[in-house]
Amino acid sequence: MNYKKKLFFITVFSIILSGCASSELDTAPSGPDHPWQPNVTSAGVIVPGKARKVSKLSFPGKYTLPSNPDAIVQGSMQLIDDRKKSIYTLAELIDISQSSNPQTRKAWDAARDAALAVGIIKSTYLPTLTATVVGGWSRARSQTTDASLDTDEYGSIGINGTPRRRSSGTAEVQTVGLRWLLFDFGRREALIGAARQAQLATNVLFTGVHQKIIYSVTTAFYAHAAAFTRAQLLQTSLENAEHVQAAAEARLKQGQGTIMDVTQARQVTAQVNLRLVQAQGEEQNTYLALLNTMGVSTNSHLNLEDVSGRSLSLEDVRLSDEVVKEAVGRRPDVLAAYAAARSAHSRISAARAAFLPSVFMTGNVAYSTGQTSLTSIPSASDSVSPTLNLSGNRFSTLILGGISVPIFDGGLRSAIVKRAQDQEDSAEATLRQTVNGAVQQIVLAENALHTSLQAYEAASKLRVASQTNFDAALVSYRAGTGSVTQAELAQNGLLDANISRSDAYYAALIAAAGLAFGTGSLG
């Protein structure tokens, strides 16, 4: 009967435990076509727990999650509202972005993690000491054939009439264990070498992230400046179109013009006004893109430096092969790929060292009290070895030294070596690809700068000619010797020339930054 009761309780307990895992399905959505309604605190924070049930009739509109104010606070960007400051230069914007952009912090954390990885491997040269204190209670029952013993000591009679002995007691054991890998034929040294190269790569990439931010902020700044200038040019063009329209209306009042001239002039004015509205929208978009690239809140307000009046050097400068080669050698992506290849080579040495013996030392010091006899103490963690060979005495010491020789592991170590070799081959291929890509990027950036400078020079000449043509056409039309069509064509030509010159100017600035970034000299 006692056996059946125990079996019953064990069965019920097992069923309860098995239900604990499946009961968590209640926290998931109830079906693929059912919305999930999370538990929300009074402050609007989503918390774990059983999902609330929703009637299928109330499905529409239930796929919107509640707003979490804590997420907004923790994920908010730096807000800059300095309208009193006269201007922010490009250098100041870059300085702000290097401290506020999340990418720099992520790169810094990655570099620190890589440095800690080296320290973790170096710690394996030192011994591991573990202190353990265990205590417990034990109960034992056994049978004996010695009928002369007092039955009270044993407590009961067995099935065959032999006395049963019952004993119980408490005990406590305190141990200090030692584990020390003394020699492994260079495996840890190779692992440290691989980790140091990986750390070097993360440090290089940290510098590379800063260079990318400098380049991104620079291009975003010039893109916004180009959009701002384009809006100004369209504003000037709108004023020119209004002048032509006013001249057409004046000629109509004087009986010298036609209604067709007036409607044509009004049409051109409306078209320029439309382009102006679109340009102003693009100006706002580039401004928000600049703030986002800097890593600051899009609600920030900055007065930016005007760089439209800089002079450009129109000299055709070409980079020699030696300059390109030197530039490729200092690019962060190339240096990081080279360090990754060396790290992969060190991992091959570490994998091959696993075939060699290891010399180790282990031991423990133990002190026990109580009536329970223990020969070992299990470990609560896989990283700590159990304490073995405890003595029955109250105080015991054990020191062992030995050598471990791997014999057979089903080809595991060979597979690890092969994988390390494949990783090295992949890292070397990545290095070659990175070098080739760097050379291509430098050449393309050089050609872009060359083309933009030539375009700027040609657009400057075109603007002078277009301005002269427009001035002459407007004067001629006002004097009655020219047509409104000629005036409008001249006005459109002047607008296109001004925009082309402005676009070429900022394209040259962006190309110069691209060339500096491509050569790894954008600091």
Side-chain angles (χ1 to χ4, degrees):
M1 185 64 181
N2 292 335
Y3 173 76
K4 292 182 179 180
K5 288 184 178 180
K6 292 181 180 179
L7 181 61
F8 173 75
F9 285 121
I10 292 174
T11 303
V12 173
F13 186 67
S14 301
I15 293 175
I16 293 175
L17 290 180
S18 63
C20 292
S22 60
S23 64
E24 290 300 318
L25 289 174
D26 295 336
T27 62
S30 57
D33 58 343
H34 286 62
W36 174 68
Q37 294 299 312
N39 292 321
V40 183
T41 64
S42 58
V45 179
I46 301 176
V47 295
K50 186 176 180 179
R52 294 187 288 111
K53 294 183 178 180
V54 182
S55 173
K56 196 165 186 178
L57 297 178
S58 61
F59 277 8
K62 294 298 182 180
Y63 288 96
T64 301
L65 295 175
S67 177
N68 190 338
D70 291 346
I72 299 174
V73 173
Q74 295 183 12
S76 60
M77 295 291 188
Q78 178 184 358
L79 177 63
I80 302 176
D81 192 358
D82 196 358
R83 305 183 190 185
K84 295 181 181 179
K85 181 177 174 61
S86 57
I87 57 171
Y88 273 94
T89 64
L90 176 58
E92 290 174 328
L93 298 180
I94 292 173
D95 183 65
I96 294 174
S97 65
Q98 287 178 319
S99 59
S100 61
N101 195 301
Q103 295 183 15
T104 58
R105 179 164 293 275
K106 291 169 60 178
W108 180 60
D109 290 335
R112 287 171 57 85
D113 290 344
L116 291 174
V118 177
I120 291 173
I121 300 176
K122 289 177 64 177
S123 66
T124 58
Y125 279 96
L126 301 176
T128 300
L129 297 176
T130 305
T132 306
V133 178
V134 298
W137 172 82
S138 66
R139 181 179 180 182
R141 183 174 64 184
S142 61
Q143 294 183 355
T144 180
T145 57
D146 190 354
S148 64
L149 296 177
D150 187 2
T151 57
D152 292 339
E153 178 184 357
Y154 292 86
S156 62
I157 302 299
I159 298 177
N160 298 328
T162 58
R164 287 180 177 174
R165 180 175 181 178
R166 296 177 179 175
S167 62
S168 62
T170 60
E172 179 181 329
V173 180
Q174 306 170 9
T175 66
V176 176
L178 168 70
R179 187 174 59 176
W180 196 356
L181 178 60
L182 300 177
F183 186 68
D184 60 358
F185 288 91
R187 183 172 184 270
R188 288 172 295 181
E189 182 179 357
L191 290 175
I192 290 178
R196 286 195 181 279
Q197 291 297 329
Q199 178 198 7
L200 175 62
T202 57
N203 290 341
V204 169
L205 291 177
F206 173 78
T207 302
V209 167
H210 277 274
Q211 290 187 359
K212 287 181 180 179
I213 289 177
I214 294 173
Y215 176 64
S216 299
V217 173
T218 301
T219 54
F221 175 79
Y222 287 142
H224 171 65
F228 176 78
T229 303
R230 190 178 300 114
Q232 286 184 322
L233 293 175
L234 283 166
Q235 181 64 47
T236 303
S237 179
L238 178 61
E239 295 174 358
N240 293 335
E242 291 173 347
H243 292 327
V244 175
Q245 178 181 337
E249 292 172 348
R251 284 174 55 84
L252 179 62
K253 290 180 180 180
Q254 296 172 1
Q256 299 175 354
T258 65
I259 189 62
M260 292 298 299
D261 291 345
V262 174
T263 55
Q264 182 179 350
R266 290 175 178 176
Q267 178 185 2
V268 173
T269 301
Q271 290 174 344
V272 176
N273 185 58
L274 174 60
R275 294 181 61 180
L276 175 60
V277 172
Q278 294 173 338
Q280 290 173 342
E282 181 64 20
E283 177 189 353
Q284 291 297 321
N285 292 337
T286 55
Y287 177 74
L288 294 177
L290 173 61
L291 297 179
N292 184 66
T293 303
M294 293 173 57
V296 299
S297 174
T298 53
N299 293 324
S300 300
H301 297 278
L302 300 174
N303 296 321
L304 303 178
E305 175 190 16
D306 183 11
V307 294
S308 59
R310 293 182 179 179
S311 60
L312 298 182
S313 175
L314 301 181
E315 296 181 2
D316 186 10
V317 179
R318 292 292 183 175
L319 301 180
S320 63
D321 293 340
E322 290 297 326
V323 173
V324 172
K325 184 177 180 180
E326 180 182 358
V328 171
R330 65 167 171 262
R331 282 174 56 108
D333 54 348
V334 174
L335 295 176
Y338 176 71
R342 297 188 64 183
S343 176
H345 179 74
S346 297
R347 287 196 295 269
I348 294 178
S349 301
R352 288 173 176 170
F355 285 89
L356 303 176
S358 299
V359 180
F360 66 94
M361 183 175 67
T362 185
N364 63 75
V365 177
Y367 178 78
S368 60
T369 59
Q371 302 177 2
T372 301
S373 178
L374 296 176
T375 59
S376 64
I377 299 177
S379 172
S381 174
D382 294 337
S383 60
V384 180
S385 301
T387 303
L388 305 175
N389 300 318
L390 292 178
S391 173
N393 301 323
R394 289 186 177 274
F395 184 81
S396 62
T397 302
L398 176 66
I399 299 295
L400 298 174
I403 182 171
S404 175
V405 182
I407 297 177
F408 179 74
D409 59 1
L412 175 62
R413 289 166 297 167
S414 299
I416 293 176
V417 171
K418 180 60 178 175
R419 183 181 63 178
Q421 291 173 341
D422 293 340
Q423 291 175 348
E424 181 192 31
D425 183 68
S426 177
E428 291 178 350
T430 301
L431 175 59
R432 291 192 295 270
Q433 181 181 5
T434 304
V435 170
N436 293 334
V439 174
Q440 181 182 8
Q441 183 179 359
I442 292 174
V443 174
L444 290 177
E446 181 185 18
N447 291 336
L449 179 59
H450 175 74
T451 302
S452 59
L453 289 176
Q454 287 185 329
Y456 176 73
E457 184 178 12
S460 298
K461 297 178 181 179
L462 176 62
R463 188 189 69 161
V464 174
S466 299
Q467 183 68 53
T468 303
N469 184 35
F470 172 72
D471 293 339
L474 182 59
V475 172
S476 176
Y477 178 65
R478 286 174 175 173
T481 59
S483 66
V484 69
T485 302
Q486 292 176 339
E488 297 293 358
L489 289 176
Q491 187 268 333
N492 290 332
L494 176 60
L495 173 62
D496 293 338
N498 284 328
I499 292 179
S500 298
R501 181 179 182 274
S502 175
D503 291 345
Y505 171 79
Y506 288 106
L509 295 179
I510 293 176
L515 182 59
F517 176 71
T519 56
S521 58
L522 188 62

